[in-house]
Amino acid sequence: MSTAEETVGGENGPWAEVTPDAARRLLIAAVEAFAERGYHATTTRDIAGRAGMSPAALYIHYKTKEELLHRISRIGHERALHILRTAARREGTASERLADAVSSFVGWHAGGRTTARVVQYELDSLGPDARAEIVALRRQCDAEVRGIIEDGIAAGEFDVLDVRGTTLAVLSLCIDVARWFSTRGPWTPDEVGALYADLVLRMVGAAKQAPAPVDQT
């Protein structure tokens, strides 16, 4: 199994929707090549070779290299949005929902670091139309996190002076995990997710639960 398959969660990760099998193999090969060499340094021949196919076979499924990047980015951002939206709309306090959003989002970036690096750091390689579509998905991700923070402020759980700036900081922390996380390091994706959830709650000044009263009898 390839790195791109291993690191996006089993069950073919987010690529199960990509059919036929040859198109999925090419997409996974492109993820690995873009993550390793960067979009501009990768050729269609590189991608086809990693997939065990001829360069001509690639054009049967994708018209251009950019089309491959666009599809990878769209699927990845749709997955990211699903993670954040699920956490934002669950039952619970704002603190619980923010912790869930951060731990899940960080876990995805750590466990799917190969894919996440491409999804999050190759945006400027897309053309104007494709880039605009992905930017719109990013704004929706931003809105989900901002909504949780606003709920926490309204409920008296969070002490935040700049909601927009804090939202940007939270998302930036989560995304950066894809850049440095390694399976050879001391933490699992779940452990990093839990650590970052705690850090973010401290960042927003999440109200501490009052200690239980001491029994004086």
Side-chain angles (χ1 to χ4, degrees), residues 154-176:
E157 294 181 51
F158 301 160
D159 181 13
V160 174
L161 296 177
D162 184 339
V163 174
R164 182 179 178 183
T166 301
T167 300
L168 176 61
V170 170
L171 289 170
S172 296
L173 278 173
C174 296
I175 289 169
D176 192 58

Side-chain angles (χ1 to χ4, degrees), residues 102-179:
V102 169
S103 61
S104 299
F105 201 44
V106 166
W108 182 72
H109 281 84
R113 61 202 175 279
T114 304
T115 298
R117 283 200 300 273
V118 177
V119 168
Q120 299 291 6
Y121 294 114
E122 289 289 1
L123 177 63
D124 290 339
S125 298
L126 293 170
D129 291 343
R131 189 180 190 281
E133 180 185 353
I134 302 308
V135 167
L137 287 169
R138 286 191 176 217
R139 286 175 178 160
Q140 291 180 65
C141 290
D142 179 280
E144 296 296 340
V145 175
R146 187 171 64 251
I148 302 174
I149 294 173
E150 289 171 343
D151 288 347
I153 295 170
E157 294 181 51
F158 301 160
D159 181 13
V160 174
L161 296 177
D162 184 339
V163 174
R164 182 179 178 183
T166 301
T167 300
L168 176 61
V170 170
L171 289 170
S172 296
L173 278 173
C174 296
I175 289 169
D176 192 58
V177 171
R179 182 185 57 79

Side-chain angles (χ1 to χ4, degrees), residues 24-114:
R24 183 166 53 251
R25 285 165 49 202
L26 286 163
L27 188 143
I28 291 169
V31 170
E32 294 176 338
F34 294 157
E36 181 181 313
R37 305 186 60 178
Y39 174 79
H40 292 293
T42 299
T43 66
T44 53
R45 184 175 295 276
D46 294 331
I47 296 167
R50 283 174 181 264
M53 301 166 70
S54 70
L58 185 148
Y59 295 107
I60 296 174
H61 303 284
Y62 302 99
K63 294 178 183 178
T64 63
K65 183 176 71 168
E66 185 191 346
E67 183 180 338
L68 264 167
L69 177 61
H70 181 207
R71 191 162 192 191
I72 291 164
S73 191
R74 186 180 69 247
I75 292 173
H77 278 87
E78 287 172 347
R79 176 59 180 161
L81 178 58
H82 173 74
I83 289 169
L84 293 173
R85 182 168 287 163
T86 298
R89 300 185 183 184
R90 56 161 280 194
E91 295 294 328
T93 66
S95 295
E96 291 168 342
R97 289 184 287 128
L98 184 59
D100 188 11
V102 169
S103 61
S104 299
F105 201 44
V106 166
W108 182 72
H109 281 84
R113 61 202 175 279
T114 304

Side-chain angles (χ1 to χ4, degrees), residues 1-16:
M1 181 178 288
S2 68
T3 301
E5 289 175 305
E6 288 175 350
T7 58
V8 292
E11 71 217 19
N12 281 326
W15 316 129

